[in-house]
Amino acid sequence: MVAARTSAASWRAMAPADIPQVAAIAAEVHPGFFEDEAVFAERQQLFPAGAALLELAGEAVGYVLSHPWLANDPPPLNCLLGGIPESACTYYIHDLALLPRARGARVASRVVDSLMELADSLSYPSMTLVAVNGSRRFWEKNGFRAIDCAALSDRLRSYEASAVLMTRSLRR
């Protein structure tokens, strides 16, 4: 992942030792979406290039976890993947979470831009994610659009009633 820096906060590669901080941020930002530390650790290990930690004055204040995956088939919440499928055909953003004090300086949009560059460099034609926690508008501002996929309605509801699968085409 390309490091993104702002005047006050900077993204850096996530290390295995960062997982407890990631879990603490997730618990604060997404209290209704519990995931075991093992889920965060596995994603960081499976695709380190898609895992970054946001620091502000030396303190962890956000993270992003992402990896190649299957189109229109988001992993269930709190689920180990076991590996990245050889047939992966999209770049999936598992989670982007920022503590309130880290918001408002476009750090989220900057890391999304870095992920788009990474996905494009790996020749993925699209990016996908599940928008939760009132984030749909943020993702729409970043070029994502909702996908109406009735076959996934039960899986999406396992996140929350308003969860929506979203996609963004890349430049290819």
Side-chain angles (χ1 to χ4, degrees):
M1 156 166 282
V2 178
R5 179 175 278 286
T6 69
S7 60
S10 62
W11 290 98
R12 67 163 174 80
M14 185 185 296
D18 297 323
I19 299 305
Q21 295 172 86
V22 168
I25 293 166
E28 185 173 336
V29 174
H30 303 305
F33 304 96
F34 175 78
E35 289 193 295
D36 290 314
E37 282 190 27
V39 171
F40 301 123
E42 182 195 47
R43 281 167 174 72
Q44 186 276 329
Q45 292 167 353
L46 287 174
F47 200 73
L53 192 75
L54 179 65
E55 293 182 325
L56 178 63
E59 180 185 357
V61 294
Y63 68 88
V64 65
L65 289 162
S66 59
H67 52 83
W69 199 244
L70 305 170
N72 299 333
D73 190 21
L77 189 64
N78 198 30
C79 174
L80 294 175
L81 302 177
I84 303 294
E86 286 186 34
S87 59
C89 57
T90 190
Y91 193 83
Y92 183 75
I93 300 176
H94 171 73
D95 196 9
L96 171 58
L98 302 178
L99 293 175
R101 64 186 167 278
R103 297 177 190 156
R106 291 198 32 85
V107 293
S109 292
R110 287 188 184 110
V111 81
V112 170
D113 289 345
S114 292
L115 293 175
M116 283 190 290
E117 290 174 18
L118 175 61
D120 192 50
S121 74
L122 296 170
S123 299
Y124 289 105
S126 64
M127 296 177 73
T128 57
L129 58 92
V130 175
V132 297
N133 217 16
S135 65
R136 180 176 176 164
R137 187 166 178 204
F138 166 80
W139 293 112
E140 288 173 341
K141 286 180 180 180
N142 282 276
F144 288 78
R145 62 176 176 73
I147 300 172
D148 184 18
C149 191
L152 291 175
S153 62
D154 287 342
R155 185 177 304 174
L156 293 173
R157 275 195 301 272
S158 75
Y159 286 83
E160 70 176 354
S162 62
V164 62
L165 183 64
M166 301 188 80
T167 189
R168 177 180 174 150
S169 293
L170 297 176
R171 294 177 272 284
R172 295 202 175 269

